[in-house]
Amino acid sequence: DNVKRDQNQFRIFSGDFSDMFTSCTQTTLRKALFRIVELCFRNSTKTHVAVNGRRVWYTNRYDETPQTYTKEDILRLIDFVIENNYVSFIGYNVHQKSGVPMGLPSAPKMIDLCMSLHEYEFLTNPANRDIALQICRSSCRYVDDFCSMANYNLIDVIQDIYPRELTLVVTSSPTHLTFLDVDLRIQNNAIS
């Protein structure tokens, strides 16, 4: 692993992906959501996903009740939602061509899935094994807020995980900082 460490100097990092919903491109969002659908269908080894109320499962059968969808159906639905987002502003209907469609109830989930895919791909890459274990043990992300304790420059690693168009505004401290209104302190190389 090529990350420079200071074994005795842990720091707490708190970050906010500023303007995540407007900075994340629709191309990045689409690619991530498509990749997740591909992974889900491949791992399920099934041809359809069935939806009946709140129940969802994979199946090899097509049926109208419950409603079933193929992978291609899901990809077309995602594409339709991203491509056909309009905003009404002082009597004008404007087509949103960049950013995540924030007015949609699914927008926070879509961006969270996009970020999760980038984390998954970094963490499952064998070349990142050592650093990935440390990140899993000492990091968390809540939508656009990130927190970690590390004895290396986490900012360098973050740039390898998330899309380049996202800007992470980072605060770092060797002793304490606030994350999501919680006061965090380093005591005995652990967060309390």
Side-chain angles (χ1 to χ4, degrees):
D1 132 10
N2 58 1
V3 177
K4 189 173 181 182
R5 300 173 192 286
D6 178 354
Q7 294 297 334
N8 300 318
Q9 186 60 43
F10 280 90
R11 297 182 70 78
I12 303 174
F13 293 85
S14 174
D16 177 52
F17 288 97
S18 63
D19 304 321
M20 177 187 282
F21 285 86
T22 54
S23 298
C24 184
T25 67
Q26 289 182 351
T27 301
T28 297
L29 182 65
R30 181 181 290 105
K31 283 181 182 177
L33 295 176
F34 279 23
R35 176 88 172 105
I36 289 170
V37 171
E38 296 280 346
L39 285 168
C40 290
F41 271 90
R42 185 185 74 211
N43 289 342
S44 77
T45 68
K46 306 289 185 185
T47 58
H48 293 76
V49 64
V51 180
N52 189 5
R54 292 180 170 254
R55 229 177 117 224
V56 178
W57 66 96
Y58 291 95
T59 181
N60 282 323
R61 271 184 29 163
Y62 170 79
D63 200 345
E64 289 184 22
T65 309
Q67 185 64 49
T68 55
Y69 301 93
T70 64
K71 176 180 69 178
E72 291 73 24
D73 293 335
I74 302 292
L75 297 178
R76 278 193 300 273
L77 287 168
I78 290 169
D79 200 43
F80 182 85
V81 167
I82 293 171
E83 284 296 317
N84 294 288
N85 191 44
Y86 292 84
V87 177
S88 182
F89 180 70
I90 58 170
Y92 294 96
N93 290 326
V94 182
H95 185 213
Q96 181 177 350
K97 293 188 177 189
S98 64
V100 178
M102 287 190 291
L104 296 174
S106 60
K109 293 291 183 198
M110 289 167 52
I111 197 74
D112 192 44
L113 285 168
C114 178
M115 300 294 279
S116 296
L117 176 76
H118 289 280
E119 292 160 355
Y120 168 80
E121 289 185 335
F122 179 85
L123 295 173
T124 57
N125 181 339
N128 302 327
R129 191 185 71 132
D130 291 338
I131 195 75
L133 290 172
Q134 281 195 319
I135 290 172
C136 286
R137 288 185 190 126
S138 64
S139 302
C140 66
R141 180 183 55 79
Y142 180 76
V143 187
D144 63 345
D145 295 302
F146 184 88
C147 184
S148 186
M149 183 182 83
N151 61 345
Y152 52 86
N153 188 354
L154 186 68
I155 293 116
D156 293 340
V157 177
I158 293 294
Q159 292 172 349
D160 291 336
I161 299 173
Y162 298 105
R164 296 279 181 202
E165 67 257 22
L166 298 181
T167 302
L168 181 65
V169 178
V170 176
T171 303
S172 144
S173 170
T175 56
H176 75 278
L177 57 74
T178 301
F179 175 69
L180 299 176
D181 297 330
V182 175
D183 187 43
L184 303 175
R185 297 184 182 278
I186 291 184
Q187 294 178 339
N188 301 322
N189 289 336
I191 293 179
S192 64

